[in-house]
Amino acid sequence: MKFLDQPPRFLFFTGKGGVGKTSIACATVIQLAETGKSVLLVSTDPASNVGQVFGISIGNNITPVPAIQNLSALEIDPQAAAQLYRDRIVGPVRGILPDAVVKGIEEQLSGACTTEIAAFDEFTSLLIDSPLTAGYDHIIFDTAPTGHTIRLLQLPGAWSGFLEEGKGDASCLGPLAGLEKQREQYKAAVDALADGKRTRLILVARAQQSTLREVARTHEELAGIGLKQQYLVINGILPKAETRNDELAAAIYKREQAALNAIPEVLKSLPQDNVVLKPFDLVGLEALRQLLIDTPYHAHIANSSPINLDKPSLSKLVDGIAEDGHGLVMTMGKGGVGKTTIAAAVAVELAHRGLPVLLTTSDPAAHLSDTLNGALDNLTVSRIDPHEETERYRKHVLDTKGSKLDAQGRALLEEDLRSPCTEEIAVFQAFSRIIREAGKKFVVMDTAPTGHTLLLLDATGAYHREVTRQMGNTNLHYTTPMMQLQDSKQTKVLIVTLAEKTPVLEAANLQVDLRRAGIEPWAWVINNSIAATVTNSPLLHQRALNELVEINAVEQQYSKRNAVVAMLKDEPIGLARLLKLAGGL
């Protein structure tokens, strides 16, 4: 593997949910540790399943992995990190500032933006020279920092005075207040990330055009802020040998090869490794040892009879959605599970039944027009463009609050508005406008990957709390966006996942976060299922059998209302294929 050729001390694995970055990171640490290197594996993923992979409980302390000499692991708990971060900022002012001011600071520090910064705060200590990490030859991170977080840390340092004068509007000013105290540590960490002799970034993808486009964007974003030592690993490629006498396998192979041949230009210069699809679950040491070895699968199908999976189709879920005649439908989930496709299929199925539908997205990486590839009566399409909404919001703030400031105050306000968290507020305002339309038609919203969506929900919740506080004990009737999201008659949240361990675990964690916000998911959609097809490929058949465990887990542990969407031979692009995907044809 090229990415393991003379590896530097720090290796970061990043990629969408479900692409296999955790498995590849775990396989990497085993390989390095078994060559005699002392290795620390660190997961910064809130849905980490590193402990599950190794069959031990890890948690927020460095823990030796008993089965592998020289290997230890650490799972950074973002919620625990956020609490420590809040305590560090609020503790010194508690009892000094008025209670109302302290409460306001705590409110600012309650969101997902704080959690993201706090997790980064926690693992920057692992990137600098310290007694904690001095004994390790390699430190491997499962999930790299995002460009969003690094840009926050690179912002100029005039926050404190700006906060004291009460000139800020963006919700991340509270979280950013703690950055000054550790700016030297952050600078050392960012310098380490940008040093190709010390750090290597491994972008993990699948052989899918949409995933490769997303990886290309990640590559450019991280390269643009100085992280240029990047490698590309394309995981889960179906071997050509599996295509014999199997139409589904042949179609998958053709799609994957087409995606590889059309790889974005910016990725072509990166060192690239290809990892073939394995038939087994990547749990346990033996499975991980085999992951990075290119060995063909020779097993025969033990039971060649069709699985005959009898689960509801997406069309059955739409029956329940259509009953109310209007409302908001939101698809949520990790990147790479097919939220855009499922949202488009639901919208097309509703419109096909003669119901008025607005299909929209808050995902900057979504390509709804490409997915639809056509027009349909009763269906309109829109997009919340984060860049456009942010520019509109910045202009509004500068024209209103900024007009009352002196030159220095206006300069600080402009600096504040350059924060990536400004986008959170701007997108929330557009989101609120869209929600109102659901009172008279169906609005199907394809949301951004989970972390960004939770930021949006945090903004929605903060607005709801502020409105509730201001209304007090008045008898005036009011409805906030959060109240609409919490009402299952008005809003139906569909959690989209794949029938694989990691995506199901991530979806379950998303469900916990939504319930914490008072939002009860309406149904789960298990997308791209091989078990719902018929295949003669030994490898695909074994994977279909593996899927049954996860499908049953969803039904028994997480959601009684669910649908299973079969993997299609053809990409689900265009109105006819989307209807077929939904089961409406």
Side-chain angles (χ1 to χ4, degrees):
M1 291 289 165
K2 295 184 182 70
F3 76 88
L4 278 172
D5 183 25
Q6 297 181 321
R9 189 174 188 221
F10 303 116
L11 294 175
F12 283 88
F13 291 85
T14 186
K16 281 188 168 188
V19 296
K21 60 182 180 294
T22 296
S23 299
I24 292 176
C26 291
T28 297
V29 298
I30 291 172
Q31 193 160 319
L32 290 172
E34 290 183 340
T35 62
K37 301 292 185 181
S38 179
V39 183
L40 174 63
L41 173 62
V42 181
S43 174
T44 63
D45 189 337
S48 174
N49 63 336
V50 167
Q52 183 185 41
V53 168
F54 286 113
I56 61 172
S57 178
I58 296 174
N60 204 30
N61 294 299
I62 294 177
T63 304
V65 178
I68 302 289
Q69 191 175 2
N70 305 317
L71 176 61
S72 297
L74 167 67
E75 291 178 330
I76 292 177
D77 181 343
Q79 297 301 327
Q83 188 56 52
L84 289 172
Y85 188 88
R86 284 190 286 268
D87 291 343
R88 197 176 76 226
I89 296 173
V90 178
V93 300
R94 200 182 298 278
I96 299 174
L97 294 178
D99 289 345
V101 175
V102 173
K103 187 175 180 181
I105 295 172
E106 289 176 329
E107 178 67 29
Q108 283 188 312
L109 296 172
S110 66
C113 194
T114 298
T115 304
E116 183 179 10
I117 294 172
F120 192 85
D121 178 64
E122 185 115 336
F123 83 72
T124 50
S125 63
L126 304 172
L127 289 168
I128 62 174
D129 294 329
S130 71
L132 186 68
T133 59
Y136 295 104
D137 299 309
H138 296 286
I139 301 178
I140 312 299
F141 292 87
D142 170 29
T143 300
T146 65
H148 173 101
T149 304
I150 295 173
R151 280 197 303 277
L152 285 175
L153 300 178
Q154 291 177 325
L155 286 172
W159 299 110
S160 298
F162 194 25
L163 279 167
E164 288 167 6
E165 295 173 35
K167 294 176 180 175
D169 275 345
S171 63
C172 265
L173 277 175
L176 284 167
L179 299 186
E180 275 303 314
K181 299 178 182 178
Q182 294 188 243
R183 187 162 292 278
E184 287 187 13
Q185 176 174 310
Y186 292 150
K187 184 179 185 305
V190 172
D191 289 346
L193 289 170
D195 184 350
K197 294 180 181 178
R198 288 188 284 171
T199 300
R200 182 174 294 173
L201 281 155
I202 296 97
L203 307 173
V204 184
R206 299 297 283 261
Q208 302 163 346
Q209 289 187 0
S210 60
T211 306
L212 289 170
R213 283 196 299 264
E214 180 70 17
V215 165
R217 279 187 289 272
T218 301
H219 159 67
E220 290 185 303
E221 181 181 43
L222 294 174
I225 51 179
L227 283 67
K228 297 182 178 179
Q229 186 72 0
Q230 299 183 26
Y231 284 64
L232 176 64
V233 175
I234 301 179
N235 187 32
I237 299 175
L238 185 70
K240 188 176 182 179
E242 296 296 322
T243 63
R244 298 190 196 102
N245 304 316
D246 191 279
E247 291 183 8
L248 178 63
I252 294 171
Y253 180 81
K254 183 179 179 181
R255 276 208 306 266
E256 290 184 345
Q257 293 303 308
L260 294 174
N261 291 333
I263 192 168
E265 197 67 32
V266 295
L267 297 179
K268 290 182 178 178
S269 62
L270 299 183
Q272 178 181 324
D273 293 303
N274 292 342
V275 179
V276 299
L277 185 68
K278 299 296 191 287
F280 44 79
D281 286 334
L282 293 166
V283 176
L285 299 182
E286 287 311 309
L288 291 168
R289 286 190 178 103
Q290 295 179 54
L291 177 59
L292 301 180
I293 301 172
D294 190 3
T295 53
Y297 181 59
H298 293 301
H300 297 287
I301 299 176
N303 177 10
S304 60
S305 60
I307 291 175
N308 292 326
L309 186 69
D310 184 21
K311 299 294 180 183
S313 68
L314 190 59
S315 181
K316 292 293 184 184
L317 288 186
V318 175
D319 290 343
I321 293 170
E323 288 177 359
D324 296 324
H326 63 84
L328 177 65
V329 181
M330 299 180 73
T331 58
M332 292 189 184
K334 282 286 188 178
V337 297
K339 295 185 306 297
T340 300
T341 300
I342 295 301
V346 169
V348 167
E349 175 70 14
L350 286 167
H352 186 66
R353 299 181 184 198
L355 297 163
V357 183
L358 169 63
L359 174 61
T360 188
T361 181
S362 64
D363 186 349
H367 300 276
L368 282 178
S369 57
D370 293 343
T371 302
L372 289 170
N373 193 28
L376 183 66
D377 289 344
N378 305 310
L379 178 63
T380 54
V381 181
S382 73
R383 179 170 177 261
I384 298 174
D385 186 306
H387 177 73
E388 289 181 7
E389 298 298 337
T390 302
E391 288 306 309
R392 183 182 294 118
Y393 174 76
R394 283 178 179 143
K395 184 178 185 305
H396 172 73
V397 172
L398 289 171
D399 289 347
T400 53
K401 189 163 189 174
S403 66
K404 303 172 186 176
L405 300 176
D406 58 21
Q408 181 184 8
R410 187 176 174 88
L412 286 168
L413 179 59
E414 288 176 345
E415 180 180 285
D416 172 26
L417 292 171
R418 286 194 294 272
S419 162
C421 287
T422 301
E423 181 182 303
E424 173 192 339
I425 300 170
V427 171
F428 164 69
Q429 291 185 346
F431 175 62
S432 299
R433 291 195 300 270
I434 290 290
I435 284 180
R436 287 195 289 272
E437 294 198 39
K440 53 183 181 288
K441 65 173 70 169
F442 279 106
V443 175
V444 180
M445 176 174 280
D446 165 39
T447 67
T450 306
H452 190 91
T453 300
L454 293 178
L455 286 175
L456 190 63
L457 293 177
D458 279 333
T460 310
Y463 175 80
H464 168 75
R465 291 189 292 273
E466 180 61 19
V467 169
T468 302
R469 185 185 67 79
Q470 291 183 11
M471 297 301 288
N473 295 322
T474 67
N475 293 321
L476 295 175
H477 175 75
Y478 63 95
T479 301
T480 66
M482 179 58 82
M483 291 166 69
Q484 184 159 344
L485 294 179
Q486 292 170 336
D487 184 350
S488 61
K489 288 291 289 181
Q490 299 185 68
T491 301
K492 291 180 172 56
V493 173
L494 307 181
I495 291 183
V496 184
T497 187
L498 304 175
E500 299 172 14
K501 285 187 182 298
T502 298
V504 168
L505 179 63
E506 290 169 340
N509 280 294
L510 170 60
Q511 179 159 273
V512 169
D513 287 331
L514 290 170
R515 286 173 171 168
R516 193 179 295 123
I519 300 169
E520 181 62 32
W522 189 73
W524 281 41
V525 178
I526 301 166
N527 192 28
N528 229 26
S529 170
I530 300 171
T533 67
V534 177
T535 178
N536 296 316
S537 158
L539 191 155
L540 292 183
H541 191 271
Q542 183 57 53
R543 289 187 67 85
L545 294 174
N546 296 343
E547 284 186 359
L548 294 179
V549 176
E550 303 307 320
I551 292 170
N552 289 334
V554 168
E555 189 170 60
Q556 294 170 15
Q557 299 177 37
Y558 303 121
S559 178
K560 293 297 182 184
R561 185 187 286 116
N562 56 75
V564 178
V565 177
M567 178 183 288
L568 298 183
K569 294 174 185 175
D570 301 308
E571 286 271 22
I573 293 173
L575 301 174
R577 290 179 186 172
L578 288 169
L579 281 171
K580 182 178 180 182
L581 188 80
L585 285 182

